[in-house]
Amino acid sequence: MAGITNAPFRVLCREQGAGLFVCEMITTRGLVERNPKTLRMIRFAESERPRSIQLYGVDPDIVGRAVKMIAEEDLADHIDLNFGCPVPKVTRRGGGSALPYKRNLLRRILREAVAGAGSLPVTMKMRKGIDDDHLTYLDAGRIAAEEGVAAIALHARTAKQHYGGVADWEAIARLKEAVPEIPVLGNGDIWCADDALRMVARTGCDGVVVGRGCLGRPWLFKDLENAFNGSPERARPTLGEVAEVMARHAEGLTECFDIERYAVADFRKHVGWYLKGFTVGSELRRELATAESLDGLREGLAKLEHDQPWPPNTDTPRGKSGERAKVLLPDGWLDDPWDCVIPDGDAESDISGG
């Protein structure tokens, strides 16, 4: 969700219902070194409480220092550690979903994070493992529970699956059985509120984590709140109501980035997600997806058929998809799952968050 879950989008989602809305993944090294890009990425809107920072790191000492900095400088109210990222530039350096394979390194990172956090809760997100031959989630879950992690979220795919195939919800149930002492949250293939209810019923998990399912659909969180409260009511906005949210989103990005042209260009990737399922001509879609100013975007939005009702059958996958041929890893990474070799500093360079 890099480049997606910045403050303007989080605000739109938070308005819809209860939940914990986590910022983009940032690097612990970038935070400790006070990288300007990193510091901009952890800015929160005034209305955001609790504030949640997601960290990516590979060095126990650096992770501990970053978490301590967050706690001591009151930068957030919750810390989430990302061990689920499957992006090749992350895994080939031993980070993200590759790291839990090194059990003792994972343990050291979690221990330093929990120690540095003080009273702040530390949670972690992970995948099932590198591939079906190198599953790590049960070992990682037990290590997390032993080291004082407050909750675990499992994206029920391997790194090799990337975002393809079908999430293995049974793995979530197995993890819940393995670590009953802490909450387990399920992630993967939640495209509507009823998917979340089915996941909880099938796995016994304590809650859900939504990623790609909210792309272009901030109102999904209202649906989730209604569903878990037993209400059948679901948001079904008209195209005009969607257009209003799109305009607010772009305006929020402009306030966040300060440069209108850059903000509108950043918003372009959201256009297809917001309009998915609606009948919108190719020329108008192109106009909206190439707008260079807020006025240009508003002009395009005004041309939409505002009375068009919410389309049926749109609770389907959105965002990235597809499986990887293989997972890129450092040389010799799979030789010993118990060694504690710390990936070099390049593992945190050129990654979202500086």
Side-chain angles (χ1 to χ4, degrees):
M1 302 295 283
I4 305 294
T5 52
N6 43 39
F9 187 62
R10 293 196 307 268
V11 167
L12 291 175
C13 294
R14 190 181 295 270
E15 289 175 353
Q16 301 298 317
L20 186 65
F21 300 92
V22 185
C23 79
E24 302 171 75
M25 182 180 80
I26 65 168
T27 68
T28 54
R29 189 175 296 275
L31 186 59
V32 167
E33 295 176 354
R34 298 185 183 275
N35 180 286
K37 177 183 176 183
T38 301
L39 296 180
R40 285 195 300 272
M41 290 173 69
I42 62 171
R43 291 186 302 185
F44 293 89
E46 287 294 324
S47 62
E48 292 194 82
R49 286 292 189 279
R51 302 159 300 164
S52 182
I53 288 181
Q54 184 177 94
L55 295 178
Y56 159 78
V58 298
D59 185 315
D61 178 62
I62 299 297
V63 171
R65 287 167 58 191
V67 171
K68 189 174 182 179
M69 175 180 167
I70 292 170
E72 291 182 345
E73 298 182 21
D74 189 29
L75 300 178
D77 307 300
H78 161 245
I79 296 160
D80 187 50
L81 301 177
N82 188 315
F83 298 108
C85 182
V87 175
K89 69 178 181 179
V90 172
T91 61
R92 71 182 175 88
R93 292 167 174 169
S97 52
L99 195 143
Y101 185 75
K102 301 295 189 182
R103 275 73 163 175
N104 287 329
L105 177 58
L106 175 68
R107 185 181 294 277
R108 284 189 57 196
I109 289 174
L110 296 179
R111 183 171 296 175
E112 291 295 329
V114 172
S119 62
L120 297 185
V122 175
T123 60
M124 65 178 279
K125 180 183 178 182
M126 60 182 180
R127 287 186 173 235
K128 288 171 58 183
I130 293 172
D131 54 35
D132 287 340
D133 294 324
H134 301 90
L135 299 177
T136 56
Y137 69 104
L138 294 179
D139 284 349
R142 284 188 285 266
I143 291 168
E146 291 165 2
E147 295 302 328
V149 170
I152 309 168
L154 176 64
H155 183 165
R157 286 181 170 88
T158 63
K160 184 177 183 297
Q161 281 184 277
H162 205 62
Y163 297 99
V166 177
D168 176 16
W169 288 3
E170 298 309 312
I172 299 170
R174 289 191 288 272
L175 179 61
K176 180 60 186 174
E177 292 175 359
V179 288
E181 63 268 41
I182 62 174
V184 169
L185 310 177
N187 177 222
D189 293 349
I190 295 178
W191 308 112
C192 66
D194 292 335
D195 289 336
L197 294 180
R198 283 190 290 270
M199 176 185 280
V200 172
R202 187 183 303 176
T203 69
C205 67
D206 301 285
V208 300
V209 172
V210 175
R212 294 173 297 145
C214 71
L215 296 176
R217 293 189 64 186
W219 46 86
L220 174 59
F221 296 100
K222 181 62 175 177
D223 287 352
L224 288 167
E225 184 174 58
N226 286 338
F228 284 117
N229 286 333
S231 170
E233 183 180 351
R234 302 289 183 266
R236 294 293 182 263
T238 63
L239 184 53
E241 291 168 330
V242 171
E244 291 177 8
V245 173
M246 292 173 71
R248 286 190 58 209
H249 192 165
E251 291 161 2
L253 288 172
T254 301
E255 294 175 4
C256 180
F257 295 146
D258 297 326
I259 301 173
E260 180 178 323
R261 185 167 182 170
Y262 176 79
V264 174
D266 185 77
F267 177 74
R268 292 172 184 169
K269 61 178 174 279
H270 296 272
V271 171
W273 297 326
Y274 275 114
L275 298 182
K276 183 174 182 178
F278 286 103
T279 300
V280 179
S282 59
E283 287 190 16
L284 182 51
R285 284 180 181 268
R286 190 178 307 111
E287 178 181 342
L288 291 167
T290 58
E292 296 185 353
S293 67
L294 283 176
D295 284 343
L297 180 64
R298 292 187 187 109
E299 288 175 7
L301 293 173
K303 298 176 184 178
L304 293 170
E305 182 186 348
H306 284 206
D307 292 337
Q308 189 177 145
W310 178 257
N313 304 318
T314 56
D315 295 333
T316 55
R318 41 186 74 210
K320 300 174 183 177
S321 61
E323 184 168 321
R324 299 288 183 183
K326 66 176 183 178
V327 181
L328 299 182
L329 299 167
D331 290 341
W333 189 254
L334 298 177
D335 291 348
D336 183 356
W338 300 102
D339 70 27
C340 201
V341 176
I342 298 171
D344 62 35
D346 287 342
E348 291 196 45
S349 65
D350 192 32
I351 305 296
S352 176

